[in-house]
Amino acid sequence: MMTTEWHPTTSREQLRQRAAVIAKIRAFFAQRDVLEVDTPALSQAAVTDVHLVSFETRFVGPGAADGLPLYLMTSPEFHMKRLLCAGSGCIYQLGKSFRNEESGRHHNPEFTMLEWYRVGFDHHDLMAEMAELLQATLGCGEPEKVSYAEVFERVLGLDPLEASVEQLQAKCREHNLQDVGDQETTEAPLQQLLFSMVLEPQIGQQVPCMVHGFPANQAALARISAEDPRTADRFEVYFRGIELANGFYELADGDEQLARFEADNLQRAQMGLPQRPIDQHLIAALRHGLPDCAGVALGVDRLIMLVQGLNHIENVIAFPVSRA
C-alpha cells in the first residue's frame, strides 16, 4: 500500500552531515588527481551474477519500434572499465546504483555508490588507499587487514581453502545453520553462509576490517592470485556489522571474463533464474586492453550511517523506497 506520508526520513542536520561526507570524498580524490566521471544508469546489458537482480525497462522511442530492453545498472563498473580501456586514467564516480532485491536496515533498492579505479595499483595498494579514505571520513583508527583463511581459522578453527563440503556442513550444524547448509552440495555457498552468518558479526567491531584472499570460487571480476591459485585478488571491508566495500585487482583478460559471464548464465539456468544479456561492449573493451589496475565499490549511504552513528539506512536517505 502506498503511504501518504510525504516528509523525508532524514533531518536537515543529517542532510548537512551527508553533504559534508560527500564533500570530503571529492576532496580526497581531487588531492590525488583522480578524475570524477559520470556513466549511464541504463544499459542494454545486465549483470549475470546469480546473487544480483537488475531492474528492467524498455525504451520505446525512435528506432526502437518493438521496444529496446534496458537494465538499470547494479554498479557503474562495466562502463567505467570501458573508460579505462579508452585511456581515461585513474577515475572515480559518485552516483546511483539499483538492485531489485531486499529493502531493510542496510538496503534500499536505489542507493549511492562510490566506485574508483587506480591504474598501476594492485589490491594491496588499493586497500592502503581505502584505509586512508576511511580514516578521513570516519575518523577511525588504522583498519585491520586479514586474510579470508585467517578469519575462518581464528573463529571456526577451519581452513576454508582445504575444507570439504562435509566439514563445512558440520560447521553449519554447529551454528544452527543446517536448514540451509544441508541443502548445499558445493563449497562456495557454504563458505559464504558461514562467513556472512558467523564471521561477519565478529570482525571489524573496533576498527574497519579489510578481508582479502577470498576463495577462487568467489573471484567475481577479480584476478586469480599468482601466489596462491586457490584464492582471488579480492577484498571486502567490514565495520561494526556492516559490509562497506568490495574491491578487486581487476581481471583484464576479455576471454576469461566472457567465460565467467557464460558460466554465470549456465548457473542461472540451473537455478531457474532468467539468463542475462552479456555486456559485449565490455568484452570488446577488455580485448582492446584494460590497463593494470585495481578498483573498489563502496556503499556511501552505509558509510554515512557509520559517520552519524545511525542504525537504519532510511535515516540517511531523504526518500527511501517506502516514500519514493
Side-chain angles (χ1 to χ4, degrees):
M1 179 182 295
M2 182 176 292
T3 178
T4 57
E5 178 56 74
W6 62 267
H7 292 89
T9 55
T10 188
S11 69
R12 185 180 186 281
E13 176 58 23
Q14 288 164 345
L15 289 172
R16 189 194 66 76
Q17 291 176 14
R18 180 187 179 96
V21 172
I22 290 174
K24 283 183 180 180
I25 290 171
R26 285 199 162 99
F28 181 90
F29 289 109
Q31 291 167 2
R32 289 159 177 77
D33 196 27
V34 179
L35 178 68
E36 182 172 7
V37 298
D38 184 25
T39 61
L42 289 167
S43 175
Q44 296 178 45
V47 65
T48 57
D49 189 321
V50 298
H51 302 293
L52 297 176
V53 184
S54 302
F55 283 98
E56 304 176 48
T57 188
R58 298 184 78 82
F59 173 59
V60 295
D66 298 325
L68 177 66
L70 293 172
Y71 301 86
L72 282 168
M73 297 304 294
T74 58
S75 94
E77 179 170 5
F78 294 176
H79 290 111
M80 292 183 77
K81 284 182 174 175
R82 287 165 61 185
L83 288 177
L84 288 160
C85 291
S88 67
C90 300
I91 53 176
Y92 81 96
Q93 182 165 188
L94 270 165
K96 297 295 186 181
S97 291
F98 308 85
R99 297 183 183 181
N100 194 4
E101 301 165 52
E102 62 185 299
S103 175
R105 193 158 69 92
H106 297 156
H107 298 85
N108 192 64
E110 175 185 353
F111 59 98
T112 301
M113 180 176 283
L114 165 65
E115 189 150 336
W116 80 94
Y117 292 84
R118 295 293 251 134
V119 175
F121 277 32
D122 65 12
H123 56 304
H124 292 289
D125 297 323
L126 194 56
M127 279 188 274
E129 186 165 74
M130 171 66 76
E132 293 174 1
L133 177 66
L134 294 178
Q135 289 175 295
T137 53
L138 287 170
C140 61
E142 178 70 26
E144 178 188 15
K145 184 178 173 183
V146 62
S147 76
Y148 186 93
E150 286 177 89
V151 174
F152 260 83
E153 290 166 352
R154 179 194 303 172
V155 179
L156 294 173
L158 186 72
D159 182 348
L161 304 177
E162 296 294 335
S164 65
V165 167
E166 292 73 21
Q167 289 173 310
L168 293 166
Q169 286 176 329
K171 287 296 178 182
C172 287
R173 286 191 286 273
E174 285 181 24
H175 293 273
N176 299 314
L177 300 171
Q178 62 272 12
D179 289 348
V180 179
D182 287 349
Q183 298 176 33
E184 300 294 348
T185 58
T186 56
E187 287 86 356
L190 290 164
Q191 292 163 343
Q192 292 167 340
L193 178 63
L194 287 165
F195 192 90
S196 63
M197 301 303 295
V198 181
L199 306 183
E200 280 186 28
Q202 299 192 44
I203 60 176
Q205 292 302 316
Q206 303 304 316
V207 295
C209 181
M210 296 188 287
V211 180
H212 61 91
F214 277 70
N217 60 35
Q218 299 176 44
L221 281 78
R223 302 184 186 203
I224 300 301
S225 171
E227 298 177 358
D228 184 351
R230 300 175 303 168
T231 67
D233 290 337
R234 172 186 173 188
F235 70 93
E236 292 192 357
V237 182
Y238 302 88
F239 191 33
R240 295 177 181 165
I242 294 179
E243 179 189 337
L244 266 181
N246 187 14
F248 306 140
Y249 188 14
E250 300 294 345
L251 178 66
D253 186 326
D255 293 334
E256 171 61 23
Q257 188 61 77
L258 177 60
R260 292 190 191 181
F261 286 157
E262 290 172 341
D264 285 346
N265 268 334
L266 178 60
Q267 186 178 0
R268 281 180 163 271
Q270 293 168 344
M271 296 171 66
L273 299 173
Q275 297 193 34
R276 294 305 191 191
I278 289 171
D279 193 334
Q280 297 295 342
H281 290 311
L282 173 64
I283 300 303
L286 292 176
R287 286 172 173 162
H288 173 77
L290 179 73
D292 195 56
C293 65
V296 63
L298 181 148
V300 174
D301 305 309
R302 294 180 181 183
L303 177 69
I304 293 169
M305 284 174 60
L306 289 164
V307 170
Q308 297 186 8
L310 301 170
N311 63 9
H312 202 295
I313 200 168
E314 289 190 353
N315 298 136
V316 299
I317 296 175
F319 300 105
V321 67
S322 61
R323 301 191 185 187

